[in-house]
Amino acid sequence: MSNKRTELKVSAIRNGTVIDHIPADNTFQVLKMLNLDESNRQIYFGTNLDSKKFGKKGIIKISGKFFEEEEISKIALVAPSATLIEIKDYDVSKKESVRLPETVEKIVKCFNPKCVTNIQHIPTKFTVTQDHKGNMKLACHYCEKTMGEKHIEFL
Amino acid sequence: MSKLKGKSLVSITDYSKDDILRILDTAEEFEANQRQNILNGYVIASLFFEPSTRTRLSFESAVQYLGGSIIGFASADTSSVKKGETLKDTILTVSNYSDLIIMRNPMDGSARYASEVSPVPIINAGDGANQHPTQCLLDLYSIRKTQSTLDNIDIAMIGDLKYGRTVHSLVQALSLFGAKFHFVSPDSLKMPSSVKTWVKNAGLEYHQYTELTDVIPIADILYMTRIQGERFPDPLEYEKVKNSYILENAMLENSKDNMKVLHPLPRVNEITEDVDDNPKAYYFQQAKNGVYIRQALIATILGLK
Ligand SMILES: [Zn+2]
């Protein structure tokens, strides 16, 4: 196998999705959150790559995978700057920035251990808001507590 | 008929300014004429998953003055909850037997959840550290009654402002009326930034202090709260501050004539007994106002007012 061919294999997928512009610090978090570490699909990723826009970025390419709305919400929570590029037959068929949803349901755990959703296993629901510094916050629909990005834990 | 008919009350923010004023006006009606047999034939469930004798008796008194019947339990020990029944099952069962459910539950957010599964309206009588809206309404009633208005009052809140849910709700509610806030607490129990952001977003002013004496001459309302030793990460720090937030009668000398002292009760030692005889002490009347407020809420939510 020649070097050239290996390089080609890493850089291009025939069908699937590329998640680009992930903040470099969160590349592994995105992989884990989408359970890509346990997937049987062909996955290529790089992190700490140079980016004009972000300084350092991560990129993930997943063969044969197209994301559902719920998974895109998840990506937006940990990588709000990410771009999703869908590839069909080596061509870009769709390219869009992820967008934070207004509400996040059933995918994130409330960080408050006394919250009813943690004690009685009730589906969670959060409103996406911002604090006065513009940081993303999730406000629990039930216990009304607000948590920041560092407390986000996926169910 | 009010649009509040059939609607649960979980959090004070569920109510608009008009909704709040409507409840206060109705409570005034009940203060003038407390015994009204309008709940004859109605069954109210009072589910206290944790004991709170004061709040429970106030609600039950409100139901009795209206001529209604009460079913329920005063603590989870004697109920099916102890056998592991889920909150949903308890609520669905009890809603078969009653027209309205009053619930106190130690789980944060339990009241919102109950209101979503229940076919009958829920009144939240306290859900853990989260909300206790009837306390907030009776505080507002007491403020309006003693100041003749809710608009633009100077309110000083003293004590544990970090964990005190009553002060958080009161800030949210008073923000609708344009108050000026004075927060007095030790450094480690300051008002959380989320509450201060709320004040800022309402375009209002707040000031922070560590000395109780600083706010006495400027306040219309002195809202005292308990400071609990277990809230302090460092017991030494508690020892240092625990006596700095005690109100004594002599300290009220240079307070405004219209000033009133409020406290959600029960108190421990943060207001000395010599304050009780001062006409500016209002905390026992404040507790009494709670019955009128609860009568007004129950009657309004059942569509009888
Ligand atoms: Zn919660």
Side-chain angles (χ1 to χ4, degrees):
Chain A
M1 202 185 286
S2 76
N3 279 342
K4 195 179 171 191
R5 193 167 160 187
T6 311
E7 203 182 288
L8 199 77
K9 199 171 174 186
V10 172
S11 58
I13 51 176
R14 181 171 183 165
N15 290 302
T17 306
V18 177
I19 312 171
D20 199 0
H21 302 123
I22 303 167
D25 289 345
N26 295 350
T27 311
F28 288 95
Q29 200 185 348
V30 173
L31 280 165
K32 210 168 167 355
M33 173 188 84
L34 297 170
N35 297 320
L36 297 177
D37 53 343
E38 290 164 12
S39 165
N40 298 324
R41 298 180 192 283
Q42 291 193 341
I43 298 163
Y44 313 110
F45 71 91
T47 189
N48 293 321
L49 308 173
D50 291 321
S51 157
K52 273 182 216 141
K53 241 180 172 173
F54 298 99
K56 296 284 178 195
K57 69 165 187 179
I59 187 166
I60 303 170
K61 304 180 182 192
I62 310 115
S63 192
K65 169 84 187 168
F66 300 95
F67 289 104
E68 304 287 331
E69 210 51 47
E70 193 176 89
E71 292 169 307
I72 297 173
S73 296
K74 275 183 162 182
I75 298 168
L77 288 176
V78 292
S81 58
T83 311
L84 283 189
I85 304 156
E86 289 189 3
I87 309 287
K88 284 190 180 143
D89 221 3
Y90 296 113
D91 268 338
V92 172
S93 65
K94 195 170 150 197
K95 184 171 180 174
E96 59 180 359
S97 305
V98 297
R99 220 177 290 155
L100 277 172
E102 279 173 22
T103 59
V104 174
E105 291 183 36
K106 300 176 194 167
I107 55 174
V108 175
K109 187 176 149 59
C110 182
F111 81 127
N112 172 10
K114 286 185 66 201
C115 181
V116 68
T117 59
N118 286 317
I119 303 169
Q120 301 239 328
H121 306 288
I122 291 159
T124 62
K125 192 170 162 187
F126 298 87
T127 309
V128 181
T129 60
Q130 285 188 342
D131 67 7
H132 61 283
K133 288 179 195 137
N135 297 315
M136 193 268 301
K137 297 274 172 188
L138 294 182
C140 177
H141 170 70
Y142 292 102
C143 75
E144 304 183 19
K145 295 256 182 310
T146 296
M147 62 178 175
E149 199 191 322
K150 69 172 193 288
H151 285 118
I152 291 179
E153 200 182 305
F154 290 96
L155 287 164
Chain B
M1 201 65 63
S2 162
K3 68 180 167 62
L4 300 178
K5 183 189 174 186
K7 220 178 122 186
S8 294
L9 172 61
V10 172
S11 166
I12 192 66
T13 52
D14 295 347
Y15 276 12
S16 69
K17 187 172 171 174
D18 283 350
D19 296 338
I20 290 172
L21 290 173
R22 188 194 160 96
I23 295 295
L24 300 193
D25 291 346
T26 309
E28 225 162 52
E29 233 182 84
F30 282 113
E31 181 169 4
N33 177 17
Q34 186 167 35
R35 289 164 225 272
Q36 297 187 35
N37 207 26
I38 55 177
L39 232 58
N40 192 11
Y42 283 84
V43 177
I44 308 299
S46 159
L47 308 185
F48 278 63
F49 293 81
E50 65 177 355
S52 173
T53 309
R54 202 174 289 273
T55 304
R56 184 172 57 84
L57 292 182
S58 176
F59 268 111
E60 294 187 1
S61 157
V63 174
Q64 307 273 14
Y65 275 121
L66 295 172
S69 306
I70 297 167
I71 58 167
F73 47 82
S75 82
D77 303 344
T78 53
S79 71
S80 52
V81 181
K82 214 185 166 188
K83 297 178 197 135
E85 187 178 62
T86 63
L87 178 57
K88 183 180 176 182
D89 287 6
T90 307
I91 294 294
L92 287 177
T93 306
V94 173
S95 66
N96 288 327
Y97 313 148
S98 57
D99 301 295
L100 180 148
I101 296 174
I102 295 155
M103 182 179 86
R104 184 175 187 107
N105 190 297
M107 293 183 286
D108 298 350
S110 51
R112 179 72 62 201
Y113 177 67
S115 76
E116 289 175 351
V117 297
S118 175
V120 302
I122 304 275
I123 296 180
N124 183 8
D127 63 321
N130 187 30
Q131 293 281 343
H132 190 10
T134 59
Q135 175 70 46
C136 187
L137 286 166
L138 77 88
D139 291 343
L140 294 172
Y141 186 82
S142 301
I143 293 168
R144 188 173 80 162
K145 194 169 166 62
T146 59
Q147 307 301 316
S148 312
T149 178
L150 276 175
D151 296 330
N152 304 311
I153 59 149
D154 274 273
I155 182 164
M157 298 174 165
I158 297 106
D160 177 358
L161 304 185
K162 185 172 182 185
Y163 299 102
R165 65 178 173 192
T166 54
V167 290
H168 302 165
S169 310
L170 195 53
V171 169
Q172 291 182 319
L174 279 174
S175 293
L176 300 170
F177 297 90
K180 197 193 263 181
F181 298 99
H182 306 276
F183 300 143
V184 187
S185 71
D187 272 335
S188 52
L189 296 178
K190 274 164 113 173
M191 197 60 97
S193 59
S194 56
V195 178
K196 290 188 280 198
T197 304
W198 189 285
V199 175
K200 266 197 222 155
N201 290 345
L204 300 175
E205 251 181 70
Y206 67 84
H207 303 276
Q208 301 190 92
Y209 312 77
T210 51
E211 298 294 326
L212 169 54
T213 45
D214 288 349
V215 296
I216 288 176
I218 50 178
D220 298 317
I221 293 290
L222 214 52
Y223 197 98
M224 303 292 297
T225 66
R226 281 191 301 284
I227 292 188
Q228 289 158 298
E230 63 267 24
R231 298 291 196 201
F232 284 82
D234 178 1
L236 273 177
E237 207 201 327
Y238 174 63
E239 287 305 315
K240 257 192 279 171
V241 304
K242 73 171 182 191
N243 292 327
S244 326
Y245 301 94
I246 294 179
L247 184 67
E248 293 167 21
N249 194 36
M251 296 161 73
L252 293 174
E253 210 163 279
N254 63 345
S255 60
K256 290 187 190 173
D257 292 340
N258 62 309
M259 194 274 257
K260 290 284 185 274
V261 181
L262 270 60
H263 188 299
L265 302 180
R267 71 174 148 179
V268 184
N269 66 343
E270 55 280 359
I271 302 175
T272 57
E273 282 192 31
D274 62 356
V275 179
D276 298 356
D277 299 327
N278 191 317
K280 291 177 177 174
Y282 194 74
Y283 29 91
F284 292 115
Q285 178 65 40
Q286 181 188 358
K288 184 173 187 177
N289 293 339
V291 179
Y292 310 134
I293 279 291
R294 289 167 179 128
Q295 284 184 270
L297 271 174
I298 293 165
T300 304
I301 291 174
L302 288 175
L304 303 168
K305 281 282 169 185

